[in-house]
Amino acid sequence: MSMGRAAVTTTGIRTDMRRQRPERFDARRSFARQRATKALARNAAASPADAPQTARNALPAASLLQLIWLASPALPVGGFSYSEGLEASVEWCGVTTESIASNWLSDQLHLALARGDLAVVAKALAAWRRGDLAHVRELNDWVLQTRETSEMRLQTEQMGRSLTDWLRNQDAGQPEHLRELDALTAMSPTYPVAFALAASRTQAPVHDALLAFAFGWAENMVQAALKSVPLGQSAGQRILARLAAEIPAAANHAQRLLDSERQAFSPMLAILSAQHETQYSRLFRS
């Protein structure tokens, strides 16, 4: 009974308040109606150019598909055959669990890839687009000169040649593109510089091209971890998810670097790469 009386009393108080100050509640209702009316009017008057802001800024479908293609493990450049020192780290550094492998690849992303090859892609892509072949050659020479072991140099040269051959097949019948490829071939192409040329043919911003390059690297490295650690598919997907979440920050860092700030100082990777050359049992070429 007391609960019922309390409920009735509460209702009565609210009713009395409305009776005492009807103008306040009427003003609130009127204000709410005005806001709703204005919102409807804005929506009705909005032009198609105003409404789909994200659609207008989106990457064209053809360019998006080209980036996906370039990042795909199916691209015939041989990336799957390299572990970049990971196989040696399993042998000599105790990279034998999912968590250790995940931390190892995360460090490699931020301390090696972002500071070196990703930064090269950013500069080379812009140089290709403005036709600055002198700067392209400088970047290509830098990659060749900073590979710290023969395995690392052979990897970037082989993948660079393979991507150049793929581009030549794609560009048959397009003289302006073939001239660029002739210039690239003449400088013993490295993979980051060849990738930058391929990405420059799209309408993708530099940052999007860096995301594609880094994700392609991440997929190859996770596959190397699955085979060499070894790990299961679920573990591999967890590692790939972590790398995918960290790649945008790595791309941002790479894009901000000046030519004078780029570096390729990864002594542990260099030592492991050198040891891998004489490792007793190997699945990978690096």
Side-chain angles (χ1 to χ4, degrees):
M1 292 293 294
S2 60
M3 291 178 62
R5 283 196 295 272
V8 171
T9 302
T10 303
T11 305
I13 291 173
R14 290 174 179 165
T15 304
D16 290 342
M17 289 176 66
R18 292 191 185 99
R19 291 198 187 104
Q20 292 171 8
R21 300 183 181 86
E23 67 284 354
R24 178 180 298 178
F25 292 99
D26 290 342
R28 289 176 180 173
R29 285 195 293 268
S30 176
F31 181 67
R33 282 196 297 269
Q34 291 175 9
R35 290 182 62 184
T37 302
K38 289 179 180 178
L40 289 172
R42 284 195 300 269
N43 291 338
S47 67
D50 293 331
Q53 183 69 26
T54 56
R56 288 195 299 117
N57 295 334
L59 189 63
S63 293
L64 175 60
L65 290 172
Q66 284 175 294
L67 285 187
I68 294 173
W69 196 354
L70 289 173
S72 170
L75 194 69
V77 296
F80 65 89
S81 62
Y82 300 98
S83 79
E84 299 186 15
L86 180 61
E87 186 175 31
S89 73
V90 174
E91 180 75 16
W92 283 292
C93 294
V95 180
T96 54
T97 67
E98 175 188 341
S99 61
I100 298 174
S102 179
N103 291 335
W104 183 278
L105 293 179
S106 176
D107 286 346
Q108 190 169 349
L109 168 66
H110 294 290
L111 301 178
L113 192 76
R115 297 176 178 181
D117 285 2
L118 266 185
V120 169
V121 173
K123 296 296 185 182
L125 194 154
W128 280 119
R129 284 178 171 169
R130 66 175 181 269
D132 189 350
L133 292 181
H135 194 201
V136 170
R137 178 176 287 278
E138 289 176 6
L139 293 166
N140 195 73
D141 289 344
W142 184 89
V143 175
L144 291 172
Q145 293 160 5
T146 55
R147 301 300 93 160
E148 296 179 287
T149 66
S150 61
E151 282 191 347
M152 291 181 176
R153 177 158 176 153
L154 288 172
Q155 175 181 343
T156 196
E157 288 178 328
Q158 179 272 304
M159 293 179 66
R161 286 194 307 271
S162 295
L163 186 53
T164 301
D165 291 341
W166 180 83
L167 281 171
R168 194 175 296 279
N169 180 63
Q170 299 295 312
D171 293 341
Q174 302 183 62
E176 68 282 3
H177 287 174
L178 292 176
R179 283 192 293 271
E180 290 178 331
L181 285 171
D182 289 339
L184 178 61
T185 303
M187 61 181 76
S188 185
T190 61
Y191 183 61
V193 173
F195 184 96
L197 175 58
S200 72
R201 308 279 176 79
T202 73
Q203 298 180 45
V206 171
H207 187 263
D208 288 355
L210 298 185
L211 297 180
F213 183 90
F215 190 76
W217 169 87
E219 283 194 303
N220 284 327
M221 294 304 295
V222 167
Q223 288 301 313
L226 295 188
K227 298 171 184 175
S228 59
V229 173
L231 299 172
Q233 291 292 334
S234 296
Q237 289 300 300
R238 287 190 292 269
I239 295 174
L240 189 59
R242 175 183 176 178
L243 294 175
E246 296 181 8
I247 281 172
N252 288 337
H253 177 73
Q255 196 169 352
R256 289 194 300 267
L257 291 178
L258 302 175
D259 281 339
S260 59
E261 298 172 321
R262 191 174 57 248
Q263 60 92 10
F265 182 69
S266 305
M268 179 58 74
L269 279 180
I271 292 169
L272 289 171
S273 178
Q275 290 177 319
H276 186 265
E277 294 175 5
T278 58
Q279 188 169 330
Y280 172 70
S281 177
R282 301 187 296 178
L283 295 174
F284 298 96
R285 299 171 66 182
S286 72

